[in-house]
Amino acid sequence: MAEPPEEPPPQAVPQPYEPGYGLYQPGYGLYDDQIPDPTHQMLAIQNAKALLLKSSTASGLNLYDHLANMLTKILDEQPTNVVDIIENISRDVKWTQFRKKMDTLRDEHEILPTFEAAEKRKALFLKTNGEGAEEIEEEEIGETSLPNVMETAFYFEQAGIGLSKDESYHIFLALKKLISVQPVPQTCRFWGKILGLEMNYIIAEVQYGEVAEEEETEEEEPIEEEGKGMTELEDEEEEKEKDEPPKSMYKPPPTIPKEENGTGANKYVYFVCNEPGNPWVKLPPVTPAQIVCARKIKKFFTGRLDAPIVSFPPFPGNEANYLRAQIARISAGTQISPIGFYQLSEEEGDEEEEGGRDTYEENPDYQPIPVAEMVDSLSSWVHHVQSILMQGRCVWLNPFQKSEEEEVEEEEEEKADEQDDVQQEIGPPILTPLSEDEGIQNIPAWTGQTSTNLIPEYAVAVLQSNRWPGAYAFASGKKFDNIYFGWGHKYSPENHNPTLPPPVQAEYVSGPEIAETSDPTLEEELAFKAAQEAALSIAEEEEEEEVEDDEEEDEAD
């Protein structure tokens, strides 16, 4: 007799306290027309909501809040084809609830670089004066030394040279702030921009009057003369007298003093900053030793003035001194003007014949030169800055020349030095035409071009230095200016070869007077001791005989 088939186990029906209770009760089907029981319906809704509110053990989120945020986002934005992008909406909602794990108690506030730059430049747009500033500015418009940077930038822009308009205007405001903070200068000019590996240098060229220069020299003198008190100096002299080390006979070459402020390579004062809005920093005066050493090395700037200069030969200073030396070299070789714009001042007469004349003045009778002639002929341009000699100065100085007091104190023998062998250096005079500049192998020193060939009537003459890449000059009518944008390096057709160290000093010539003797053998030592004892015994016997002779002579007397 066949066994009846096993009945399937009854389907587990959720209990009232379990989620999903009431979903399988009569009246809850899709096609069931019966009216559900309200108590069962509310219980089912509560259980379903409890299921949706169950938090995830991984993210801590629940499906109910996630769906609510998704529907809110959809209703607010109302995108098209929602069903196609529902996954993207879900991902975006989850991403907005992501929180970065912080190691600190406070939240990190990330400051954008653009916001930092805007905060630094905010001070440039603020007026320093209070009420009535407009009246004061209107009175001083004609006497201001502030250059029109935007006008200069417009002319250089015709030849594709310069910075953006925003940066030029920020530099314009920075120069205005410099003039308001520092003593009022005679002239102020945007010299240019030297690029660096980390930061760049924006450079301003300033020239003060005689009063300001005297104040600067008075401030520098006590710094140089600052030292120890009289008592400390006396103590040091006493210590030196007690035990003086052996003195070296080597005489180092005499140090060449720097040129005074307002003359030569230190005629202008230079201020630098990394970005418009940063405080201006005054560069120190340049010395001849720094210029001479800067010609032998080639270093990229970092943008930090206190950075050391590691080179051979060793540079006497840090990056601020090296930057000042390069500015002096670039200015001496690239500051040019149309011929006839400046003329030598007549007040000096025939003074400074040896060192050359340094001052000039504008020519009131100057007539502009045609643009085509200024581009084709280098003779229509001149240098209006003194050239730097090989000595590192613009005006040559005899390093062996001494004062009258020193000559009287010295002996006649010490006077016969190498004074006669020193030859005076003479550089090209001021306002020398560019046609006399030496080229670089087959490359001319300067290259001229017009800003446009389509409208030559309104073209601007532009000159570019091939010796100092990045140095430019323009001329249009009675207006001209110079500017520099580059790395601050001189062009060299070959790769830069650092200076080799001096040759190693030769060994001292060996001779019998410095040769080391060989150690004696044992037999030689014994023989030497026996000879010494014999000599001592003989000396003692002779002394005894002399004593006996003296006693006999005394007895006879």
Side-chain angles (χ1 to χ4, degrees), residues 150 153-154 157 162-172:
M150 300 305 295
F154 167 76
E157 187 181 1
L163 308 172
S164 63
K165 291 184 179 180
D166 292 342
E167 188 172 1
S168 299
Y169 190 71
H170 293 159
I171 294 174
F172 196 4

Side-chain angles (χ1 to χ4, degrees), residues 127-167:
K127 290 186 178 180
T128 55
N129 300 330
E131 298 181 358
E134 297 180 357
E135 299 178 359
I136 297 174
E137 291 178 358
E138 289 178 359
E139 295 177 358
E140 296 179 353
I141 284 176
E143 301 176 358
T144 183
S145 57
L146 181 66
N148 193 346
V149 178
M150 300 305 295
E151 182 181 7
T152 305
F154 167 76
Y155 284 107
F156 279 113
E157 187 181 1
Q158 306 304 312
I161 304 164
L163 308 172
S164 63
K165 291 184 179 180
D166 292 342
E167 188 172 1

